Amino acid sequence: MKIFIDTAEVEQIKLLVPTGLIDGVTTNPSLIAKSGRKIGEAIVEMCALIPGPISAEAVASDYDTLLAEGRFLAKIAPNVVVKLPLTPVGLRVCKTLSDEGTPVNVTLCFSAVQALLAAKSGATYISPFIGRLDDNGSDGMELIRDIRLIYDNYGFETQILAASARTALHVRDAALAGADCATLPPAVFNALYKHVLTDLGLDAFMKDWITTGQSIL
Ligand code: G3P
């Protein structure tokens, strides 16, 4: 499973790059607003830090402007993925950009039939929002399972990018359900390392090691 970081904070990405575990980055207008950065500058810096896909979201509501924004974002760097909303206009632009060879991440997906339309529009990634579905009394993971089945039924190559992940359990369940990627806020990524028995076990090993009086180097 590919792991993307869901943030527009370049400093947070810099801290995570040395883990060697980060395959890409996703951003959205809310994350850009929170960072206080200009989108173009932030995306340039992210693309230089990580060679993998960096999703940058276009925001216009009409076809011509959304397409122009997508083309503008795609020119920033070869690893930019244009993020587009799951709307009729968004999917039209998705088809145009995908036909031009630009990878597209279709976002704000909350149903399996929306995901079917995105795949038919040539999306490289579909972003079902697990956490927001759970917040609204639905089962976000059921959506991941449904999309996996539909894409496999028809051989769609669109990658399922589990988004709006809030916990390590979301990541486990998305991986079990066959999601191709998950995008995680830095805190959720860091939580993946954690297990209380790892901490307790390491503590006991270190206490015993000190009693040997040895040093390895
Ligand atoms: O970037 C899309 C998605 O991951 C947003 O997550 O936590 O705002 O629902 P959240």
Side-chain angles (χ1 to χ4, degrees):
M1 179 192 248
K2 290 175 207 157
I3 295 179
F4 299 157
I5 292 299
D6 200 26
T7 185
E9 306 285 345
V10 175
E11 293 309 311
Q12 290 187 345
I13 297 166
K14 276 185 193 164
L15 290 176
L16 294 174
V17 167
T19 65
L21 294 167
I22 308 304
D23 299 296
V25 176
T26 55
T27 63
N28 63 38
S30 302
L31 293 171
I32 293 288
K34 197 170 148 207
S35 74
R37 299 291 311 277
K38 286 203 177 297
I39 183 170
E41 293 170 9
I43 296 295
V44 164
E45 291 172 29
M46 289 176 203
C47 288
L49 281 173
I50 295 183
I54 309 293
S55 288
E57 190 157 340
V59 296
S61 53
D62 68 280
Y63 175 83
D64 290 334
T65 316
L66 193 64
L67 179 59
E69 286 181 354
R71 285 175 174 155
F72 178 86
L73 292 169
K75 277 198 190 127
I76 291 177
N79 53 329
V80 165
V81 172
V82 176
K83 208 169 170 189
L84 297 169
L86 209 154
T87 60
V89 168
L91 292 189
R92 272 187 67 203
V93 174
C94 172
K95 177 85 173 77
T96 306
L97 287 176
S98 300
D99 287 348
E100 292 173 358
T102 296
V104 172
N105 174 1
V106 174
T107 188
L108 291 166
C109 172
F110 294 95
S111 82
V113 287
Q114 287 181 320
L116 174 63
L117 296 183
K120 284 178 69 70
S121 302
T124 301
Y125 302 96
I126 182 69
S127 289
F129 277 33
I130 310 165
R132 292 193 195 184
L133 277 169
D134 288 357
D135 292 345
N136 282 277
S138 301
D139 181 355
M141 216 49 66
E142 185 180 10
L143 176 57
I144 302 282
R145 287 191 291 270
D146 286 351
I147 299 172
R148 179 75 282 150
L149 192 57
I150 290 169
Y151 282 6
D152 289 348
N153 280 347
Y154 295 97
F156 287 122
E157 289 179 4
T158 302
Q159 296 180 48
I160 302 172
L161 199 178
S164 185
R166 306 272 167 77
T167 63
L169 274 183
H170 272 154
V171 181
R172 182 200 70 176
D173 291 343
L176 285 170
D180 300 284
C181 340
T183 189
L184 315 177
V188 176
F189 172 76
N190 287 323
L192 300 184
Y193 289 97
K194 290 288 180 188
H195 196 288
V196 65
L197 293 179
T198 304
D199 295 342
L200 288 172
L202 186 61
D203 194 43
F205 284 162
M206 291 307 102
K207 279 187 182 133
D208 291 341
W209 176 251
I210 285 166
T211 67
T212 71
Q214 298 179 48
S215 91
I216 290 174
L217 297 178

